[in-house]
Amino acid sequence: MAITWSERLNNTTSVAVAQSNFPILLTEACLQAATKAQWFTEAGTNGENVQAYLDSGFVTRLAMDLVSWDSTAQTFEIWVKYPTLGVTSNDVYLAVDSAQVSQPAVTDVYGRNAVWAGAELSCLMESAIPIDRTGNHALSVA
């Protein structure tokens, strides 16, 4: 691990009762305005070296589904599986690891499918051909 850039994101997702294994959305709007440009300089062109953690020591890594990353437009959509989403503070630490050259395989413990584990189907409709983000189904357009 070679963390070269990181930022604490205060997740403002509000729940009345604590939730376990809850997918939360992170976008460029979560970044501090002063650091936004630096993120897209430090991170790979496609966000391949971006990781999410529960703690500032980068010990507890979170499963992550990187849906999109656009360095030119400086936008991204990332879903992470939060282990216990509380009713108050739910921080996420987004980090750039220069030793990581690609996102984990979708079937990896930190990969896309792990974010949506427990669901039968999760389809974000990001493209013309829907993708089941759980890995449970092969979808097509009729």
Side-chain angles (χ1 to χ4, degrees):
M1 178 176 9
I3 302 297
T4 59
W5 186 259
S6 67
E7 185 170 332
R8 177 181 153 265
L9 307 178
N10 186 289
N11 174 26
T12 58
T13 301
S14 177
V15 293
V17 178
Q19 303 291 316
S20 295
N21 297 317
F22 196 87
I24 59 170
L25 174 63
L26 304 174
T27 69
E28 68 284 349
C30 298
L31 300 174
Q32 297 174 31
T35 63
K36 182 178 174 183
Q38 188 69 30
W39 267 102
F40 293 96
T41 299
E42 296 288 335
T45 305
N46 299 308
E48 60 270 10
N49 54 1
V50 174
Q51 299 173 355
Y53 291 88
L54 193 59
D55 58 291
S56 61
F58 311 111
V59 175
T60 308
R61 189 169 172 184
L62 301 174
M64 189 172 105
D65 181 0
L66 184 113
V67 177
S68 66
W69 185 277
D70 186 330
S71 294
T72 303
Q74 296 189 345
T75 61
F76 64 83
E77 179 181 344
I78 297 172
W79 289 85
V80 297
K81 181 162 257 184
Y82 209 84
T84 304
L85 189 65
V87 294
T88 56
S89 179
N90 297 293
D91 295 339
V92 173
Y93 293 84
L94 211 53
V96 172
D97 183 351
S98 63
Q100 179 175 296
V101 295
S102 65
Q103 284 293 308
V106 296
T107 55
D108 188 89
V109 67
Y110 301 114
R112 180 196 77 195
N113 295 1
V115 173
W116 308 105
E120 180 60 32
L121 175 73
S122 177
C123 190
L124 301 176
M125 302 305 287
E126 296 287 326
S127 64
I129 299 174
I131 299 170
D132 175 15
R133 315 284 304 172
T134 67
N136 293 333
H137 304 281
L139 304 175
S140 64
V141 176

